[in-house]
């Protein structure tokens, strides 16, 4: 039997982090100047919006309610904290509310050998990108034959707490893959490596999110026994745990 080259390519792609959800799929700007080309997705919308919960457990995760319309225990708990009305409870609620993030597939200039990767950014960058694509002077900046690269200046300004991304479109129209990159053949290969945004982040069920919240509350309270979300508890509890229970069961 002949060697299955497609299977071999799939194995190599997995090792290189293509299509398996690995960290290699994501790109973050380095301090200073970066040059990228946003690549359009099959649905024609390369600006993907997602909502995440942070500060609960060890890592962020997709909000079931804001992304999929499912029940979300973290949203319910955050709303209860907010409705409590105290300065402290509102501060805690803000930490737990789902945060909006945006993602686009990009080809990073100078790193074309790593394929199409995903750039994550915030609302200000998103608004700037929409302004650029709606400007008739630029048109479709993602067009592989006559699009525009973007110049990103990334870093902290003096005295700033967080880094800033300044986005400017390159005025000259260029092709996505010139001869130095590999031409049309390489371009076709690159376009096949656009990550699937439906599979990029794990979708957690309501029960899984409930379990994460239970563990978070137990850890935060310092109690070795997990306090189940939305259920009465018996026995002695410390003041913090009692406050959580009152909010959850009110």
């Amino acid at each position: 039997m002949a060697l299955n080259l497609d299977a071999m390519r799939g194995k190599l792609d997995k090792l290189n982090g293509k299509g398996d959800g690995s960290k290699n799929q994501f790109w973050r700007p380095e301090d200073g100047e970066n040059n990228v080309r946003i690549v359009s997705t099959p649905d024609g919308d390369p600006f993907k919006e997602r909502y995440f919960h942070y500060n609960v457990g060890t890592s962020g995760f997709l909000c079931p309610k804001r992304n999929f319309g499912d029940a979300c225990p973290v949203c319910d708990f955050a709303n209860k904290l907010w409705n409590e009305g105290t300065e402290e409870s509102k501060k805690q609620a803000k930490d737990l509310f789902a945060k909006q993030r945006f993602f686009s597939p990009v080809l990073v200039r100078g790193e074309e050998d790593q394929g199409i990767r995903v750039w994550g950014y915030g609302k200000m960058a998103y608004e700037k990108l929409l302004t650029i694509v709606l400007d008739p002077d630029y048109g479709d900046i993602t067009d592989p034959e006559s699009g525009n690269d973007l110049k990103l200046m990334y870093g902290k300004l003096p005295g700033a707490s967080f880094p800033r991304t300044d986005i400017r479109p390159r005025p000259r129209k260029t092709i996505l893959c010139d001869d130095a990159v590999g031409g049309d053949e390489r371009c076709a290969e690159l376009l096949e490596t656009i990550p699937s945004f439906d599979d990029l982040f794990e979708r957690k069920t309501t029960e899984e999110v409930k379990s994460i919240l239970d563990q978070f509350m137990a850890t935060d309270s310092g109690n070795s026994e997990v306090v189940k979300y939305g259920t009465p508890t018996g026995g002695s509890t410390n003041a913090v745990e009692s406050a959580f229970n009152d909010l959850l069961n009110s």
Side-chain angles (χ1 to χ4, degrees):
M1 179 181 291
L3 185 66
N4 187 334
L5 295 180
D6 288 338
M8 298 304 103
R9 291 190 186 97
K11 290 176 180 290
L12 181 60
D13 285 346
K14 189 171 183 179
L15 286 174
N16 291 331
K18 299 176 183 177
D20 66 346
S22 77
K23 292 182 180 179
N24 288 349
Q25 283 188 293
F26 293 90
W27 173 77
R28 178 180 178 179
E30 297 181 354
D31 286 344
E33 181 177 329
N34 303 262
N35 290 278
V36 302
R37 178 71 154 264
I38 292 181
V39 181
S40 188
T41 50
D43 63 1
D45 180 8
F47 308 107
K48 303 302 182 184
E49 177 183 358
R50 297 291 186 270
Y51 288 85
F52 293 83
H53 285 295
Y54 300 102
N55 304 313
V56 186
T58 58
S59 61
F61 55 88
L62 290 171
C63 172
K65 183 175 183 179
R66 299 298 298 271
N67 292 296
F68 312 111
D70 298 336
C72 177
V74 175
C75 285
D76 293 342
F77 180 46
N79 288 334
K80 285 179 179 290
L81 284 170
W82 182 265
N83 292 333
E84 183 74 4
T86 68
E87 183 176 341
E88 179 62 23
S89 67
K90 286 188 174 183
K91 180 179 181 298
Q92 292 174 338
K94 288 180 179 179
D95 288 340
L96 297 178
F97 283 145
K99 305 296 190 299
Q100 190 180 36
R101 291 287 288 171
F102 302 90
F103 301 89
S104 292
V106 295
L107 183 65
V108 182
R109 294 307 187 190
E111 301 177 7
E112 288 91 348
D113 60 317
Q114 297 189 40
I116 306 296
R117 287 180 284 171
V118 176
W119 170 36
Y121 48 90
K123 185 177 180 181
M124 291 182 64
Y126 175 62
E127 291 176 344
K128 177 63 176 179
L129 289 169
L130 289 183
T131 300
I132 292 171
V133 299
L134 294 175
D135 187 333
D137 288 342
Y138 298 107
D140 184 1
I141 63 172
T142 70
D143 191 303
E145 298 298 328
S146 60
N148 300 78
D149 287 356
L150 298 175
K151 176 183 176 181
L152 310 182
M153 296 301 297
Y154 181 81
K156 286 185 180 180
L157 296 175
S161 300
F162 301 99
R164 175 180 174 180
T165 305
D166 181 58
I167 306 172
R168 299 181 184 180
R170 294 286 186 182
R172 185 168 64 90
K173 295 288 185 180
T174 58
I175 61 175
L176 179 63
C177 304
D178 58 17
D179 291 340
V181 175
D184 292 342
E185 183 176 350
R186 176 55 178 158
C187 196
E189 293 176 353
L190 286 172
L191 292 176
E192 291 180 358
T193 68
I194 297 176
S196 169
F197 283 86
D198 290 335
D199 303 325
L200 198 58
F201 303 102
E202 180 185 2
R203 178 175 177 175
K204 295 187 181 299
T205 66
T206 297
E207 285 300 314
E208 288 173 326
V209 173
K210 175 177 176 291
S211 178
I212 292 172
L213 180 60
D214 288 342
Q215 294 293 338
F216 166 73
M217 292 171 61
T219 302
D220 193 61
S221 68
N223 195 329
S224 60
E225 294 185 3
V226 175
V227 180
K228 297 299 182 183
Y229 167 79
T231 58
T233 59
S236 61
T237 59
N238 61 29
V240 175
E241 186 175 332
S242 296
F244 277 130
N245 288 338
D246 289 340
L247 285 171
L248 289 173
N249 297 301
S250 60

